[in-house]
Amino acid sequence: MLRIREAIVVEGRYDKNTLSQLVDTLILETAGFGIFKNDEQMALLRRVAVQRGLIVLTDPDGAGFVIRNRLKSAIPADRLKHAYVPDVYGKERRKAQGGKEGKLGVEGMTPEILLQALRRAGATVLEDGDAPAQNLCLTKADLMALGLVGGADSAVRRGALLRALELPEHMSANALLQVLNTCCTREELDRALSCIK
């Protein structure tokens, strides 16, 4: 598994699932064109880009380039890297028919192509012993102890924490855990938790 410092942004959950088998880093989704109307998600992407850098990896079709250009216009260029996959024609196994342009998306690419695209984009590969900055190492048990999962009012508390940290309101507990462990300092978390008590 390739460990990289930068977070990666992809179009959807199947792209995220494919990449999560290959790389150890924060992987965020745009929900396709949802990024155009989700200001909270865009704010999260900007924040992640500033803290650790962001690699954009979208499908090689027209829609992928529209999403890529949206991100390019909203995030500082010095915090953004672009990974490109080649035009490979076909359809993904899970789909009944191929896309409009007949090209495979990120989810349909081989592991070798995806890793090569990330390396070509300039992904910062972490060696053993290196750790991404601000790694909190929280677990689901920690979230439970903080009253953010598994309790009667945990959804309300989690929602308040998401607002305090300026994160998207519909973020799941698992996604919150990943973001806290990769993009949040102990001080930021403590300050946000004190606001929700």
Side-chain angles (χ1 to χ4, degrees), residues 27 94 105 115-116 118 127 141 162 166 174-175:
I27 303 171
R94 71 176 179 86
L115 292 173
Q116 182 182 33
L118 292 171
E127 302 297 326
L162 290 170
E166 298 177 349
N174 287 337

Tab-separated table of all heavy atoms in Angstrom, residues 27 94 105 115-116 118 127 141 162 166 174-175:
chain	number	residue	atom	x	y	z
A	27	ILE	N	-9.191	10.216	1.403
A	27	ILE	CA	-9.796	10.268	0.072
A	27	ILE	C	-11.181	10.877	0.229
A	27	ILE	O	-12.012	10.366	0.982
A	27	ILE	CB	-9.893	8.866	-0.564
A	27	ILE	CG1	-8.503	8.216	-0.640
A	27	ILE	CG2	-10.521	8.963	-1.959
A	27	ILE	CD1	-8.527	6.751	-1.046
A	94	ARG	N	-19.500	-3.316	-12.859
A	94	ARG	CA	-20.763	-3.146	-12.148
A	94	ARG	C	-21.843	-2.499	-13.001
A	94	ARG	O	-23.010	-2.499	-12.630
A	94	ARG	CB	-20.558	-2.336	-10.871
A	94	ARG	CG	-20.276	-0.893	-11.112
A	94	ARG	CD	-20.165	-0.073	-9.837
A	94	ARG	NE	-19.859	1.297	-10.172
A	94	ARG	CZ	-20.750	2.211	-10.478
A	94	ARG	NH1	-22.028	1.916	-10.481
A	94	ARG	NH2	-20.387	3.442	-10.801
A	105	GLY	N	-13.778	4.921	-16.118
A	105	GLY	CA	-13.494	5.932	-15.115
A	105	GLY	C	-12.387	5.460	-14.193
A	105	GLY	O	-11.777	4.406	-14.414
A	115	LEU	N	-1.615	4.046	-9.656
A	115	LEU	CA	-0.399	4.384	-8.909
A	115	LEU	C	0.564	5.207	-9.761
A	115	LEU	O	1.181	6.155	-9.275
A	115	LEU	CB	0.274	3.119	-8.388
A	115	LEU	CG	-0.514	2.371	-7.304
A	115	LEU	CD1	0.143	1.046	-6.964
A	115	LEU	CD2	-0.696	3.232	-6.062
A	116	GLN	N	0.660	4.870	-11.031
A	116	GLN	CA	1.519	5.633	-11.940
A	116	GLN	C	0.996	7.069	-12.094
A	116	GLN	O	1.777	8.024	-12.096
A	116	GLN	CB	1.593	4.944	-13.301
A	116	GLN	CG	2.507	5.640	-14.282
A	116	GLN	CD	2.515	4.950	-15.626
A	116	GLN	OE1	1.518	4.400	-16.065
A	116	GLN	NE2	3.669	4.975	-16.285
A	118	LEU	N	-0.694	8.806	-9.899
A	118	LEU	CA	-0.404	9.535	-8.659
A	118	LEU	C	1.072	9.922	-8.575
A	118	LEU	O	1.405	11.045	-8.191
A	118	LEU	CB	-0.809	8.701	-7.444
A	118	LEU	CG	-2.317	8.491	-7.270
A	118	LEU	CD1	-2.591	7.477	-6.177
A	118	LEU	CD2	-3.020	9.809	-6.975
A	127	GLU	N	7.669	7.400	3.711
A	127	GLU	CA	8.425	6.197	4.043
A	127	GLU	C	7.974	5.709	5.413
A	127	GLU	O	7.323	6.421	6.164
A	127	GLU	CB	9.928	6.504	4.067
A	127	GLU	CG	10.463	7.055	2.765
A	127	GLU	CD	10.332	6.091	1.600
A	127	GLU	OE1	10.442	4.860	1.821
A	127	GLU	OE2	10.110	6.557	0.473
A	141	ALA	N	-13.758	3.969	19.255
A	141	ALA	CA	-13.967	3.945	20.708
A	141	ALA	C	-13.783	5.348	21.302
A	141	ALA	O	-14.507	5.734	22.221
A	141	ALA	CB	-13.011	2.958	21.370
A	162	LEU	N	-19.561	18.938	13.893
A	162	LEU	CA	-19.351	19.209	12.467
A	162	LEU	C	-19.498	20.707	12.181
A	162	LEU	O	-18.693	21.283	11.440
A	162	LEU	CB	-20.326	18.399	11.615
A	162	LEU	CG	-20.081	16.883	11.587
A	162	LEU	CD1	-21.234	16.161	10.913
A	162	LEU	CD2	-18.765	16.555	10.899
A	166	GLU	N	-16.666	23.372	11.002
A	166	GLU	CA	-17.005	23.803	9.643
A	166	GLU	C	-16.832	22.667	8.640
A	166	GLU	O	-16.228	22.821	7.582
A	166	GLU	CB	-16.179	25.023	9.242
A	166	GLU	CG	-16.431	26.219	10.123
A	166	GLU	CD	-15.568	27.413	9.790
A	166	GLU	OE1	-14.610	27.280	9.006
A	166	GLU	OE2	-15.839	28.484	10.329
A	174	ASN	N	-17.734	7.568	10.294
A	174	ASN	CA	-16.468	7.049	9.759
A	174	ASN	C	-15.696	8.127	9.007
A	174	ASN	O	-14.482	8.237	9.124
A	174	ASN	CB	-16.721	5.856	8.838
A	174	ASN	CG	-17.121	4.624	9.613
A	174	ASN	OD1	-16.821	4.493	10.793
A	174	ASN	ND2	-17.811	3.715	8.966
A	175	ALA	N	-16.407	8.923	8.208
A	175	ALA	CA	-15.746	10.006	7.478
A	175	ALA	C	-15.207	11.052	8.452
A	175	ALA	O	-14.103	11.570	8.274
A	175	ALA	CB	-16.707	10.639	6.483
